[in-house]
Amino acid sequence: MRVSTVPATGRTVSNPVIPGFHPDPSVCRAGDDYYLACSSFEYFPGVPLFHSRDLVHWTQIGNALDRPSQLRLPLDSPSSGGIYAPTLRHHDGRFWLIVTNVSGDGNLLFTATDPAGPWSDPIPLPGVHGIDPDLAWDDDGVCWCTTAGVGQVSLDPHTGETTGPQRRIWSGTPGAKAPEAPHLYRIGDYWYLLIAEGGTERCHGVSVARGRTPTGPFEPCPHNPVLTHRGTDHPVQNTGHADLAQAPDGSWWMVLLGVRPGGGTPGWHVLGRETFLAPVDWVDGWPVVGEVPSVLPAPAWPLHPPAAAPDARDDFDLSELAPHWVSLRHRPAEACTTKERPGSLTLRARGGSLDDTDVTFVGRRQQHLSCRVRALADVTEGRGGLAVRLDEHHHYDIEATPGEVLVRARVGPLNTVVASRPIPAGPVVLRIDVTATRTLQDARTGPDTVRIGVEEPDGTFLELALLDGRYLSTEVAGGFTGRVIGMFAAAGSVHFDWFDYEPLD
Ligand code: 6LW
């Protein structure tokens, strides 16, 4: 029997609900409020946290790991290392967050009474093996931690000590690779074990099994995978790594990751893995998701869109940076401050350039397929500028020094100055226009173009370079992240008076 718990409203909302590099979403509900956490890899602060009243509109309220004592990322740790796959839960009046730091500290547990923070220092989990840890409590109060593989161990979440042996409870669909991202839920008479499998690329999918106890035995759903876009020409691909939430009206929804490849063949995605929302039906006691639409049926309950588009422009008038600003591995106050020159962000080079893991960089996720980014830079005391970054080996940047700007492209082993131009003394507006491909010239057309240059005082764009965006895609660079666009200092101090991000989709 099919039970559609999602009422039809005739209204729609667009998907992804959290665009840009926001993978591995985990969601929990506390009363009328929903909270969601994502992976953050080499970026600091880590684990972006979002709040919503309607599951559709999400506002970033902080980053769970915003102190070096919570997030230790060695300066030479690789990109796409660091923080993987959180699980966020509300239990016993507290919020619980469990993650893996693959760059050293392993599995870690944090708690908070307010998800906006502060979060506790980490509780180490040396007895929990495997990435993608999940937390679930049974009726006896036993806390079960389930990890990729799929293994499970009971633990005391207050101390982090395991209280039994780790056991394998399922291996996913025979023949499917990488059973991972487990989440365990008590729904009705069953314990449901949701996993991702097939790998986080085009074959990604979500499968489910159920049992009468949290430890199994688990019977797989006869219709697995319950969600996948593999082998389709759907504009959203790589769908998987999901978590479930029940809406106030009792309907069920899934948050999941997906990507939006662009261009010709094989298709390149540049924004990383984004967070999508999908309605869930129940058929004979199994969840059914179907395709994840780019346009969603709106929930029947009141929507709470934010009053204004957030994050678009920052004049750096506040003493603390807004939570969407991220840096690499850590962000010491002496390298990044709004206090040195009030109303400006001052970045001080720590040594490295964008090719190095210790570069001084402050950026935000590119969240739109087309966008324009501008920043006003004063380089009288240093050298720096604006960059579009996938990782140390894949970035395009415009760097200003007194009297000159130059555009550099780094793609794997190739590292080239593409253009340069003298500029008058004084602050300079640096500009990057990203334009998604709308029509294919031929099957090899890239996903977007990246135009880089400077803006004249009357707003005229002086384009210095037009670059193919495919080289800053995950299909080229590899890894788990997406584009981040931001400001950097390569030498001395650089002051940024403002930064403006304009969505152009
Ligand atoms: C994550 C794994 C995955 O730990 O990618 O999509 C890894 N799924 O579950 C990094 O995000």
Side-chain angles (χ1 to χ4, degrees):
M1 189 185 61
R2 186 179 189 107
V3 183
S4 177
T5 61
V6 180
T9 59
R11 291 174 296 145
T12 56
V13 290
S14 64
N15 234 351
V17 289
I18 308 180
F21 144 52
H22 291 110
D24 308 331
S26 177
V27 66
C28 75
R29 179 179 168 187
D32 293 337
D33 297 291
Y34 295 87
Y35 298 95
L36 186 147
C38 295
S39 299
S40 51
F41 304 95
E42 72 268 31
Y43 288 94
F44 183 99
V47 188
L49 272 172
F50 296 85
H51 169 252
S52 176
R53 300 295 299 276
D54 59 16
L55 287 172
V56 172
H57 300 98
W58 293 92
T59 304
Q60 191 173 353
I61 53 170
N63 295 279
L65 312 186
D66 58 4
R67 306 189 298 273
S69 61
Q70 298 168 306
L71 178 52
R72 296 196 307 163
L73 294 171
L75 267 186
D76 60 352
S77 56
S79 288
S80 286
I83 298 294
Y84 279 22
T87 294
L88 180 64
R89 293 290 179 257
H90 184 239
H91 173 79
D92 214 9
R94 280 207 225 189
F95 292 88
W96 303 81
L97 178 78
I98 186 167
V99 300
T100 314
N101 182 344
V102 301
S103 297
D105 286 337
N107 288 311
L108 301 169
L109 183 56
F110 303 83
T111 67
T113 49
D114 179 350
W119 284 81
S120 69
D121 276 340
I123 301 167
L125 301 169
V128 176
H129 305 292
I131 60 168
D132 300 356
D134 173 73
L135 291 177
W137 284 262
D138 69 18
D139 291 342
D140 300 325
V142 178
C143 179
W144 296 99
C145 180
T146 310
T147 50
V150 179
Q152 189 184 62
V153 66
S154 58
L155 56 79
D156 177 344
H158 299 278
T159 63
E161 271 166 41
T162 52
T163 52
Q166 183 146 339
R167 289 194 317 122
R168 174 162 296 201
I169 56 169
W170 194 31
S171 305
T173 306
K177 74 170 182 180
E180 59 190 7
H183 291 305
L184 185 64
Y185 320 85
R186 170 77 171 267
I187 300 173
D189 293 334
Y190 286 103
W191 285 86
Y192 287 87
L193 178 58
L194 196 73
I195 65 163
E197 52 184 2
T200 193
E201 303 82 20
R202 293 292 190 271
C203 286
H204 212 26
V206 176
S207 292
V208 66
R210 70 184 182 192
R212 295 286 181 185
T213 75
T215 54
F218 291 96
E219 76 174 293
C221 172
H223 312 297
N224 280 332
V226 292
L227 166 67
T228 188
H229 285 188
R230 67 180 70 129
T232 70
D233 60 5
H234 198 288
V236 181
Q237 289 290 317
N238 304 22
T239 51
H241 199 125
D243 201 0
L244 291 172
Q246 191 171 23
D249 68 352
S251 59
W252 283 90
W253 297 76
M254 180 178 269
V255 293
L256 63 130
L257 69 75
V259 305
R260 293 183 281 170
T265 188
W268 297 267
H269 75 275
V270 302
L271 301 188
R273 299 168 299 163
E274 309 177 88
T275 288
F276 289 80
L277 181 68
V280 177
D281 285 345
W282 290 87
V283 178
D284 298 331
W286 293 106
V288 175
V289 192
E291 282 192 349
V292 179
S294 304
V295 176
L296 273 171
W301 55 88
L303 297 183
H304 299 274
D311 317 341
R313 182 180 170 103
D314 201 327
D315 287 299
F316 304 117
D317 289 330
L318 303 177
S319 58
E320 300 297 327
L321 284 180
H324 62 271
W325 289 115
V326 288
S327 295
L328 290 159
R329 297 175 183 85
H330 74 155
R331 186 154 74 198
E334 65 273 14
C336 166
T337 179
T338 53
K339 292 172 186 151
E340 179 169 325
R341 187 186 282 188
S344 288
L345 175 69
T346 297
L347 299 186
R348 187 165 299 122
R350 282 186 285 169
S353 73
L354 284 160
D355 302 322
D356 303 304
T357 52
D358 61 349
V359 63
T360 298
F361 174 85
V362 174
R364 52 157 296 153
R365 290 155 171 91
Q366 183 187 332
Q367 293 190 276
H368 300 82
L369 296 171
S370 298
C371 63
R372 173 169 301 151
V373 178
R374 299 148 68 236
L376 179 59
D378 174 352
V379 291
T380 42
E381 297 168 13
R383 181 158 57 83
L386 209 50
V388 189
R389 174 186 197 275
L390 238 289
D391 62 22
E392 286 76 32
H393 307 295
H394 301 85
H395 53 87
Y396 297 157
D397 33 288
I398 177 159
E399 184 175 294
T401 52
E404 189 183 40
V405 286
L406 49 87
V407 176
R408 192 176 282 129
R410 169 83 196 263
V411 179
L414 308 178
N415 198 349
T416 294
V417 173
V418 203
S420 64
R421 181 188 175 92
I423 50 165
V428 57
V429 176
L430 307 172
R431 176 164 148 184
I432 298 178
D433 285 9
V434 180
T435 309
T437 300
R438 300 216 184 276
T439 50
L440 295 186
Q441 276 136 19
D442 67 39
R444 299 163 299 171
T445 307
D448 59 2
T449 56
V450 182
R451 294 167 193 269
I452 305 182
V454 295
E455 211 173 76
E456 299 206 303
D458 67 358
T460 307
F461 183 37
L462 272 179
E463 180 181 305
L464 296 181
L466 167 57
L467 301 170
D468 186 328
R470 83 183 67 194
Y471 305 109
L472 304 187
S473 70
T474 299
E475 283 76 6
V476 168
F480 294 124
T481 63
R483 282 192 196 156
V484 174
I485 304 185
M487 300 153 282
F488 67 96
S493 294
V494 183
H495 308 278
F496 295 90
D497 193 45
W498 49 262
F499 178 100
D500 191 77
Y501 175 95
E502 186 183 350
L504 297 176
D505 285 349

